[in-house]
Amino acid sequence: MKRLAILTSGGDAPGMNATIRAVLNKAAHHDIEVVGVNYGFLGLVCKNFTSLDTEKVNSSISMGGTILYSSRYPEFAEKEIQLKAIENLKEANIDGLIVIGGRGSHHGALALSNLGFPTIGIPATIDNDIPGTEFTVGFDTAVNTVVSALDKIRDTANSHVRTFVIEVKGLRSGDLALWSGVAGGAESILIPEQELDLAHVASKIKQSVERKKKHCLIVLAEGVMSASELTTKLKEEGVLHIREVELGHVPRGGSPTPYDRVLASKAGAAAVNLFLEEKFGNCLCIQYNKLVPVSLKDALDIEKNFIDLSLYPLNSSISY
Amino acid sequence: MKRLAILTSGGDAPGMNATIRAVLNKAAHHDIEVVGVNYGFLGLVCKNFTSLDTEKVNSSISMGGTILYSSRYPEFAEKEIQLKAIENLKEANIDGLIVIGGRGSHHGALALSNLGFPTIGIPATIDNDIPGTEFTVGFDTAVNTVVSALDKIRDTANSHVRTFVIEVKGLRSGDLALWSGVAGGAESILIPEQELDLAHVASKIKQSVERKKKHCLIVLAEGVMSASELTTKLKEEGVLHIREVELGHVPRGGSPTPYDRVLASKAGAAAVNLFLEEKFGNCLCIQYNKLVPVSLKDALDIEKNFIDLSLYPLNSSISY
Amino acid sequence: MKRLAILTSGGDAPGMNATIRAVLNKAAHHDIEVVGVNYGFLGLVCKNFTSLDTEKVNSSISMGGTILYSSRYPEFAEKEIQLKAIENLKEANIDGLIVIGGRGSHHGALALSNLGFPTIGIPATIDNDIPGTEFTVGFDTAVNTVVSALDKIRDTANSHVRTFVIEVKGLRSGDLALWSGVAGGAESILIPEQELDLAHVASKIKQSVERKKKHCLIVLAEGVMSASELTTKLKEEGVLHIREVELGHVPRGGSPTPYDRVLASKAGAAAVNLFLEEKFGNCLCIQYNKLVPVSLKDALDIEKNFIDLSLYPLNSSISY
Amino acid sequence: MKRLAILTSGGDAPGMNATIRAVLNKAAHHDIEVVGVNYGFLGLVCKNFTSLDTEKVNSSISMGGTILYSSRYPEFAEKEIQLKAIENLKEANIDGLIVIGGRGSHHGALALSNLGFPTIGIPATIDNDIPGTEFTVGFDTAVNTVVSALDKIRDTANSHVRTFVIEVKGLRSGDLALWSGVAGGAESILIPEQELDLAHVASKIKQSVERKKKHCLIVLAEGVMSASELTTKLKEEGVLHIREVELGHVPRGGSPTPYDRVLASKAGAAAVNLFLEEKFGNCLCIQYNKLVPVSLKDALDIEKNFIDLSLYPLNSSISY
């Protein structure tokens, strides 16, 4: 019987559990044993292996977080530690590893693959910052959480005729801000991929106030600057009645949306197929709306970016 | 100043208002006047035109239903009535028409286009049954509503060790059942596109009971049969402790999800672009995750189907 | 060390898990051991005892259903079976029993108490049909689920100018219909406690249509008649454009609302206090917004009803 | 025909619209004309009166914010400005005024009443800080929003074995923190009404980590200190792996819960009754779960506080 290890790594993302479920159940149909690794790459190094309870896993399809726990473990960039991980995997008679996580985790998966261990990646992060895929598991849920907050903030903004700056996660990628901003009907969206024209933002707010618009929402990716910094600057530009909100960690959790669960299900099943076909060194990306295996190296190549920045000009053209 | 009419037709779908908002605001940037038509094609025939209040439209981005009202109007299949509609549009100095709706509404749009009136379609229906597009506006929201119900039903099923049959909309298309079933962790999904093997469904339920699984969810598209009919048949096959739920009209309403709002925003803006470029007779479809104009005729051609039926075998492979 | 058994019985209700958690943690502070009983009274008779995992219980505060499973077990009305249950409790060295459930379960608790076993009840049911308490655990969540459906249905009703009949649970008690109907802005609410005046209901619908009201929602408790029966009768009275929805089991599940979790927390802690003070034969009721112990017999006495029927005339006075 | 003015004032609260609806519809049954005042007391002074559109008001039952807009207007504490407001009301032939708002707004209502204008208050604020009432309109919704965030944060805390400090509104009143903390399963709740024992909080966190508990949630009312201040102090006490979240304005908006809509409906109808009976100078409070008129003076008297602080020791007794 083949043995397949599975771990979740980096920031947790809604849908990680649905991914684990798909892997476990698909593997059961092929008589593959699935071994859980607690706390991501750290668990590999500490031999924190665990068995997976089918009932618990099946019930977790609707739950946020990860039943395998996760950790940030920057030390895993060191080759010695990677070799230790592989040693532990071999000692435990593991024939392959599925890594569920974001950009950092996929760099870890690539390292193991380069060292010869059969490794497969599944992109799962609310940041949607793996260039090779249009969508990562967890992103749609995070967008839903942010937009639900925007809808609430719009109520208050409307009632008090105010401008709100709402800061969301996104150091390098403005995708969460873009999707949330378009869906939330934001007047402006500020992302790290675009140069900031503060005077233009301020002028747009002032024009909308002049047109008697009751609210103004500015969605800001943290990579640009902080909400309090932007608020200060907009006040200096003459914007009045402005408030700030920082959504912080809240969009990291929560029950995954159907989109994320379906993506998780597809990716989990496909990962087991790759394992059966011994096609290692790949991760499962959405490209042109199809789930395809992409080499870990290509998926991380920023030159081959599948992120859709067309939402940026779109928002300018439909906000008024 | 050009004048563009807009209507919503057939069953309402969440995101119709976000579509209207995108059209109105985009048009405002291009000095196009947008005229609302109440109650769909019926309103065209009765000259039920209306002006659109920017503030109300902007606030409606998060609202279900349609502020332009809708109606089912099968009489619009008659050529005479279509000609009357065109006469009224011309009399009101309308230069083009945007039709937001499902399959039937797109047949109406095609008829007007064939008669020479500049018409553009935007697929919006919870049924996701326009072959030329991967997703219609409203579908993602409906899936979310159904999955939210499935999650609640699973609580009860788990607590009482029961099997539930859940009937969802879908006369010709099982897409709502498929997406909801995969995301909801259903044991079986029954859709009109697949032949029903009742003995297999019953046997799968009984096996899962034997494996001490605490719940069993069967998601059923109405096009196959009714929930009560299926429940009766499964009882005859020896399935015990079975209950039925019919979700009915509930998934038709509700605040649109971000995905539906973004799709609505893209499609609304693109429709105005088509109007500006005088590319009539098209509707805006998602193909390979890109929004593209497709001729109304092609979009309705069942031979060119973009619906993803791979979710059907996927679910068999990951439910256990 | 004292040993306290706990079970959930009858229809599951959101907040049962939060109740179990409160009992377990409160007991831990007093060095009381808590023994779980699976499947309600049936589990007592079959000696289906189980230990409770603190981590699992703590994580369950936000989950619907019951981790102790439940069952309907009408045979428990027989004295012989009750005596068997007490025998099993004594054999397992149990010093007291907490019963979490609805009216039927409290009759069971009363029987055990009358036979001399130290028993305490916690009202938990979506039906809110235990006369001695203003609110049962689970009721507020069920109302939220129903009102969320009503909001969605109103979208569709508004868009199509339709009347909807929405059937909710409530054989003997119209409380779920009353709360949901007032909160959902229903035009009429039909409950078993009030005689039905069909002509009046029909006339109210027709008047609202005449006043150009876009929607009409009729909330119906199942104890009056079925939605399809009422729809047929209203059509006979000349009501047009009418549709029906049956919400069925959906409001039984789902994450409990804060109100239900707080009530569950109060009641769970108070039940342990009653156990410590050896005040058995009581259940924990909300009376005048305070949680108080009430004898099981009094709590079930329909003559001492705390249900607030004033919502019925209220709704007539504010719907228009 | 009698004329009744209505305004919303101070921070907006979910359910203000449902209150307006109840007043408008109830008044319609009694042939009373209802005049809206935009922007609260400011609108009184600026004669910003408006008519209320029945259809819009009826549709607003499920909407957050206030269709009458609101403002903070501290200048209304000046007698001269109050007299101006009364002059304007008389000039507009208004026979009575309903003020919907929080503590500050009720002080304004009391001032008008003391100056002889027939005024009635309806407590509506997410802060639940009007001493004379157990619940204000909007509080339950705010608790729901906070608990929904806590549930998401718990997912992440659990996955990463972390402690989170979550700051919620509440300068003088810890009620929002208390309810949210109990419902969210918080390990500690810090409120302005209780002296802070930092060492105890830190020790509790460290004990729970030692017991291998996967998460620790500390809910903090802003009146105690800021989240970042507390986080710094806890780190100084040796707490590791700690993160902070500030929920800010988000719980101010959103669709009101059924509880808030029912309370709004009761209070709106009762206010019209008080107007009919000419019982002015009162506001509508929940006392022992009944809606009763209380003199504005008494309702604001901190010595007659109906806030339930028993949740504070309850939480200590059931968190573990």
Side-chain angles (χ1 to χ4, degrees):
Chain A
M1 199 187 216
K2 293 269 185 180
R3 280 161 65 87
L4 180 56
I6 184 167
L7 62 81
T8 53
S9 161
D12 62 317
M16 282 183 160
N17 290 327
T19 315
I20 297 167
R21 169 192 175 259
V23 168
L24 186 70
N25 286 353
K26 171 82 177 180
H29 286 291
H30 294 277
D31 278 321
I32 299 165
E33 190 186 348
V34 178
V35 177
V37 184
N38 285 322
Y39 298 108
F41 292 119
L42 179 63
L44 273 190
V45 176
C46 307
K47 302 188 193 178
N48 195 337
F49 298 112
T50 185
S51 64
L52 288 162
D53 169 349
T54 303
E55 190 181 329
K56 186 177 174 191
V57 171
N58 273 324
S59 293
S60 75
I61 191 173
S62 62
M63 291 177 201
T66 161
I67 56 174
L68 284 175
Y69 308 108
S70 187
S71 65
R72 302 206 184 268
Y73 185 49
E75 295 83 349
F76 200 69
E78 296 166 34
K79 190 172 171 186
E80 215 168 332
I81 289 183
Q82 294 160 4
L83 288 169
K84 178 70 188 158
I86 292 178
E87 190 187 314
N88 291 345
L89 283 162
K90 287 184 176 166
E91 190 190 287
N93 293 315
I94 307 288
D95 304 297
L97 172 69
I98 294 178
V99 171
I100 304 169
R103 197 192 292 209
S105 310
H106 275 71
H107 277 292
L110 177 57
L112 293 180
S113 183
N114 285 342
L115 290 170
F117 196 82
T119 307
I120 295 158
I122 299 181
T125 160
I126 68 159
D127 296 332
N128 208 25
D129 63 355
I130 293 181
T133 192
E134 289 162 358
F135 294 112
T136 53
V137 173
F139 176 67
D140 186 61
T141 306
V143 173
N144 271 269
T145 301
V146 173
V147 171
S148 163
L150 292 181
D151 286 349
K152 291 184 170 67
I153 292 167
R154 194 190 309 109
D155 285 342
T156 290
N158 248 327
S159 301
H160 287 267
V161 193
R162 276 188 193 153
T163 294
F164 273 85
V165 171
I166 302 103
E167 179 186 332
V168 304
K169 293 280 174 196
L171 270 178
R172 296 163 304 229
S173 162
D175 216 30
L176 182 56
L178 272 183
W179 274 81
S180 305
V182 171
E187 273 62 27
S188 294
I189 307 174
L190 310 184
I191 57 174
E193 291 92 337
Q194 294 280 341
E195 215 180 330
L196 173 62
D197 180 348
L198 202 72
H200 178 74
V201 175
S203 138
K204 196 167 176 190
I205 298 171
K206 284 185 272 186
Q207 278 170 32
S208 90
V209 171
E210 272 164 34
R211 283 202 321 271
K212 309 253 180 224
K213 192 161 185 180
K214 299 298 183 197
H215 67 268
C216 219
L217 305 184
I218 314 296
V219 177
L220 168 72
E222 63 174 340
V224 178
M225 65 178 72
S226 75
S228 64
E229 210 179 332
L230 180 65
T231 303
T232 306
K233 284 178 197 258
L234 287 173
K235 282 180 182 167
E236 286 165 13
E237 296 278 335
V239 173
L240 305 170
H241 306 299
I242 186 165
R243 296 287 185 284
E244 64 191 72
V245 178
E246 195 192 324
L247 293 183
H249 284 80
V250 180
R252 282 265 295 280
S255 178
T257 58
Y259 184 89
D260 278 334
R261 298 189 203 178
V262 168
L263 176 52
S265 300
K266 283 181 175 176
V272 175
N273 278 336
L274 289 183
F275 176 72
L276 287 166
E277 299 162 5
E278 302 191 359
K279 292 185 178 164
F280 301 111
N282 291 304
C283 66
L284 289 150
C285 294
I286 294 285
Q287 294 189 344
Y288 309 110
N289 206 24
K290 300 289 167 210
L291 190 79
V292 289
V294 175
S295 81
L296 286 161
K297 191 162 169 296
D298 280 5
L300 288 162
D301 185 350
I302 198 77
E303 300 299 314
K304 299 173 181 164
N305 203 333
F306 274 78
I307 296 302
D308 177 15
L309 286 178
S310 74
L311 291 184
Y312 188 80
L314 172 70
N315 200 60
S316 304
S317 78
I318 60 167
S319 60
Y320 192 74
Chain B
M1 196 187 220
K2 293 271 184 179
R3 280 161 65 86
L4 179 55
I6 185 168
L7 62 83
T8 52
S9 162
D12 62 318
M16 282 182 159
N17 289 329
T19 315
I20 296 167
R21 169 190 175 261
V23 168
L24 186 70
N25 287 353
K26 170 83 178 178
H29 286 291
H30 294 277
D31 277 323
I32 298 165
E33 189 185 348
V34 179
V35 178
V37 184
N38 285 322
Y39 299 109
F41 292 118
L42 179 63
L44 273 191
V45 176
C46 308
K47 302 188 193 180
N48 195 337
F49 297 114
T50 185
S51 64
L52 287 162
D53 169 350
T54 302
E55 189 181 329
K56 186 178 173 190
V57 171
N58 272 324
S59 295
S60 75
I61 190 174
S62 61
M63 289 177 202
T66 161
I67 57 173
L68 284 175
Y69 307 108
S70 187
S71 65
R72 303 208 183 268
Y73 184 48
E75 296 83 348
F76 200 70
E78 295 168 33
K79 192 174 171 185
E80 217 168 330
I81 290 182
Q82 294 160 4
L83 289 169
K84 178 70 188 157
I86 292 178
E87 191 187 314
N88 291 346
L89 282 162
K90 287 185 175 164
E91 190 191 289
N93 293 316
I94 307 289
D95 304 296
L97 172 69
I98 294 177
V99 171
I100 304 168
R103 197 193 292 208
S105 310
H106 275 71
H107 277 291
L110 177 58
L112 294 180
S113 182
N114 284 342
L115 290 170
F117 196 82
T119 307
I120 295 158
I122 298 181
T125 160
I126 67 159
D127 295 332
N128 207 25
D129 63 353
I130 293 182
T133 192
E134 288 162 358
F135 294 112
T136 53
V137 172
F139 177 67
D140 187 60
T141 305
V143 173
N144 270 270
T145 301
V146 172
V147 171
S148 163
L150 292 182
D151 286 349
K152 290 183 170 67
I153 291 167
R154 193 190 310 108
D155 285 342
T156 290
N158 249 326
S159 302
H160 287 267
V161 192
R162 276 186 193 153
T163 295
F164 272 86
V165 171
I166 303 102
E167 180 186 330
V168 304
K169 293 279 174 199
L171 269 179
R172 294 163 306 228
S173 163
D175 217 29
L176 182 56
L178 271 182
W179 274 79
S180 306
V182 171
E187 272 63 27
S188 295
I189 306 173
L190 310 184
I191 57 174
E193 291 92 337
Q194 294 281 343
E195 213 179 329
L196 173 63
D197 180 348
L198 201 73
H200 178 75
V201 175
S203 138
K204 197 167 175 190
I205 298 171
K206 284 184 272 185
Q207 278 171 31
S208 88
V209 171
E210 272 165 33
R211 283 201 321 270
K212 309 253 179 223
K213 193 161 185 181
K214 298 299 183 195
H215 67 267
C216 219
L217 304 184
I218 313 297
V219 177
L220 168 72
E222 63 175 339
V224 177
M225 65 177 75
S226 75
S228 64
E229 208 179 333
L230 180 64
T231 303
T232 305
K233 283 178 198 256
L234 286 172
K235 282 180 183 167
E236 287 164 11
E237 296 279 334
V239 173
L240 305 171
H241 307 299
I242 188 164
R243 296 286 185 283
E244 63 192 74
V245 177
E246 195 192 325
L247 293 181
H249 285 78
V250 179
R252 282 264 295 278
S255 179
T257 59
Y259 184 89
D260 278 334
R261 299 188 203 179
V262 169
L263 175 53
S265 301
K266 284 181 174 177
V272 176
N273 277 335
L274 289 184
F275 176 72
L276 288 166
E277 298 162 7
E278 302 191 359
K279 291 185 179 163
F280 302 111
N282 292 304
C283 65
L284 289 149
C285 294
I286 294 285
Q287 294 188 345
Y288 309 111
N289 206 25
K290 301 289 166 209
L291 191 79
V292 290
V294 175
S295 81
L296 287 161
K297 192 162 167 296
D298 280 2
L300 288 162
D301 185 350
I302 197 76
E303 300 300 314
K304 298 171 181 166
N305 203 333
F306 274 78
I307 297 303
D308 177 14
L309 286 178
S310 75
L311 291 185
Y312 189 79
L314 173 69
N315 199 60
S316 302
S317 79
I318 60 166
S319 62
Y320 192 74
Chain C
M1 195 188 220
K2 292 269 185 181
R3 281 160 66 87
L4 179 56
I6 185 168
L7 61 82
T8 52
S9 160
D12 62 318
M16 282 182 159
N17 290 327
T19 315
I20 297 167
R21 169 191 175 260
V23 169
L24 186 70
N25 286 352
K26 171 82 178 178
H29 286 291
H30 294 277
D31 277 322
I32 298 164
E33 189 186 348
V34 178
V35 178
V37 184
N38 285 322
Y39 299 108
F41 293 119
L42 178 63
L44 273 190
V45 176
C46 308
K47 303 189 192 178
N48 196 338
F49 297 113
T50 185
S51 64
L52 287 162
D53 169 350
T54 302
E55 190 181 329
K56 186 178 174 189
V57 171
N58 272 324
S59 294
S60 75
I61 190 173
S62 61
M63 290 177 202
T66 161
I67 57 173
L68 285 176
Y69 308 107
S70 187
S71 64
R72 303 207 183 267
Y73 184 48
E75 296 82 348
F76 199 71
E78 296 168 33
K79 190 172 172 185
E80 215 168 333
I81 288 182
Q82 295 161 4
L83 289 169
K84 178 70 189 160
I86 292 178
E87 189 188 315
N88 291 345
L89 283 162
K90 289 185 175 166
E91 189 191 288
N93 294 315
I94 307 289
D95 304 295
L97 172 69
I98 294 178
V99 171
I100 304 168
R103 196 192 291 210
S105 310
H106 276 70
H107 277 291
L110 177 58
L112 293 180
S113 182
N114 284 343
L115 291 170
F117 196 82
T119 307
I120 295 157
I122 299 181
T125 159
I126 68 160
D127 295 332
N128 207 26
D129 62 355
I130 293 182
T133 191
E134 288 163 358
F135 294 112
T136 53
V137 172
F139 177 66
D140 186 60
T141 305
V143 173
N144 270 270
T145 300
V146 172
V147 171
S148 163
L150 292 181
D151 286 350
K152 291 184 170 65
I153 292 168
R154 193 190 309 109
D155 285 342
T156 290
N158 250 327
S159 302
H160 287 267
V161 193
R162 276 188 193 152
T163 295
F164 273 85
V165 171
I166 302 101
E167 180 186 331
V168 304
K169 294 279 173 197
L171 269 178
R172 294 164 305 228
S173 163
D175 216 30
L176 181 57
L178 271 183
W179 274 79
S180 306
V182 171
E187 272 63 27
S188 295
I189 306 173
L190 310 184
I191 57 174
E193 291 92 339
Q194 295 280 342
E195 215 181 329
L196 173 63
D197 180 348
L198 201 72
H200 178 73
V201 175
S203 137
K204 196 166 176 191
I205 298 171
K206 284 183 273 186
Q207 278 170 32
S208 90
V209 171
E210 271 164 34
R211 284 200 322 271
K212 309 251 179 228
K213 191 160 184 183
K214 299 299 182 196
H215 67 266
C216 218
L217 304 184
I218 313 297
V219 177
L220 167 72
E222 63 174 341
V224 178
M225 66 178 73
S226 76
S228 64
E229 209 178 332
L230 180 64
T231 303
T232 305
K233 284 176 197 258
L234 287 172
K235 282 181 183 168
E236 286 165 12
E237 296 277 336
V239 173
L240 304 170
H241 307 299
I242 187 165
R243 295 286 185 284
E244 64 191 72
V245 177
E246 194 192 324
L247 293 182
H249 284 78
V250 179
R252 282 264 296 279
S255 178
T257 59
Y259 184 90
D260 278 334
R261 298 188 204 180
V262 169
L263 176 52
S265 301
K266 284 181 175 176
V272 175
N273 277 336
L274 289 184
F275 176 72
L276 287 166
E277 299 162 6
E278 302 192 358
K279 292 185 179 162
F280 301 111
N282 291 305
C283 65
L284 289 149
C285 294
I286 294 285
Q287 294 189 345
Y288 309 111
N289 206 25
K290 302 288 167 212
L291 190 79
V292 290
V294 175
S295 81
L296 287 160
K297 193 163 167 294
D298 280 4
L300 288 163
D301 185 351
I302 199 75
E303 300 300 314
K304 299 173 180 165
N305 203 335
F306 274 78
I307 296 303
D308 177 15
L309 286 179
S310 75
L311 291 185
Y312 189 81
L314 172 69
N315 199 60
S316 303
S317 79
I318 60 167
S319 62
Y320 192 76
Chain D
M1 195 186 220
K2 294 270 185 180
R3 280 162 65 87
L4 179 56
I6 184 167
L7 62 81
T8 52
S9 162
D12 61 318
M16 282 182 160
N17 290 328
T19 315
I20 297 167
R21 169 191 175 260
V23 168
L24 185 70
N25 286 352
K26 172 82 179 180
H29 286 292
H30 294 275
D31 277 322
I32 298 165
E33 190 186 346
V34 178
V35 177
V37 185
N38 285 323
Y39 299 108
F41 292 120
L42 179 62
L44 273 189
V45 176
C46 308
K47 302 188 194 178
N48 194 338
F49 298 113
T50 185
S51 64
L52 287 161
D53 170 350
T54 303
E55 189 181 329
K56 188 179 172 188
V57 172
N58 273 323
S59 294
S60 75
I61 190 174
S62 61
M63 290 177 203
T66 160
I67 57 174
L68 285 175
Y69 309 108
S70 187
S71 65
R72 303 207 183 268
Y73 185 47
E75 296 83 349
F76 200 70
E78 296 167 33
K79 191 173 172 184
E80 215 167 332
I81 289 182
Q82 295 160 4
L83 289 168
K84 178 69 189 157
I86 292 177
E87 190 187 315
N88 291 345
L89 282 162
K90 288 184 174 164
E91 189 190 288
N93 294 315
I94 307 287
D95 304 295
L97 173 69
I98 294 178
V99 171
I100 304 168
R103 197 192 292 210
S105 310
H106 276 71
H107 277 291
L110 177 58
L112 294 179
S113 182
N114 285 342
L115 291 170
F117 196 82
T119 307
I120 296 158
I122 299 182
T125 160
I126 68 158
D127 295 332
N128 207 26
D129 62 354
I130 293 182
T133 191
E134 288 162 359
F135 294 111
T136 53
V137 172
F139 177 66
D140 186 60
T141 306
V143 173
N144 270 269
T145 300
V146 173
V147 171
S148 163
L150 292 181
D151 286 348
K152 289 183 171 67
I153 291 167
R154 195 191 308 111
D155 285 342
T156 289
N158 249 327
S159 301
H160 287 266
V161 191
R162 277 188 193 152
T163 294
F164 273 85
V165 171
I166 301 103
E167 180 187 332
V168 304
K169 293 277 174 199
L171 269 179
R172 296 164 305 229
S173 162
D175 217 29
L176 182 56
L178 272 183
W179 274 79
S180 305
V182 171
E187 271 63 27
S188 295
I189 306 173
L190 310 184
I191 57 173
E193 292 92 337
Q194 295 280 341
E195 214 180 330
L196 173 62
D197 181 347
L198 201 72
H200 178 75
V201 175
S203 137
K204 195 165 176 192
I205 298 171
K206 285 184 274 186
Q207 279 170 32
S208 90
V209 170
E210 271 164 34
R211 282 202 322 271
K212 309 254 179 221
K213 192 161 185 182
K214 299 299 183 196
H215 68 267
C216 218
L217 304 183
I218 313 296
V219 177
L220 168 72
E222 63 174 340
V224 178
M225 66 178 72
S226 75
S228 63
E229 210 179 331
L230 180 64
T231 302
T232 306
K233 284 178 197 256
L234 286 172
K235 282 180 183 167
E236 286 165 13
E237 296 277 336
V239 173
L240 305 171
H241 306 301
I242 186 164
R243 295 285 185 286
E244 63 191 75
V245 177
E246 196 192 322
L247 293 182
H249 284 78
V250 179
R252 281 265 295 281
S255 178
T257 58
Y259 184 89
D260 279 334
R261 300 189 204 178
V262 168
L263 175 53
S265 301
K266 283 181 175 175
V272 175
N273 277 337
L274 290 183
F275 176 73
L276 287 167
E277 299 162 7
E278 301 190 0
K279 293 185 178 162
F280 301 111
N282 291 304
C283 66
L284 289 149
C285 294
I286 293 286
Q287 293 188 347
Y288 309 110
N289 206 25
K290 301 288 166 210
L291 190 80
V292 291
V294 175
S295 81
L296 286 160
K297 192 162 168 296
D298 281 2
L300 288 163
D301 185 350
I302 199 76
E303 300 300 314
K304 299 172 181 166
N305 202 333
F306 275 79
I307 296 303
D308 177 14
L309 285 178
S310 74
L311 291 184
Y312 189 79
L314 172 69
N315 199 59
S316 303
S317 79
I318 60 167
S319 61
Y320 192 74

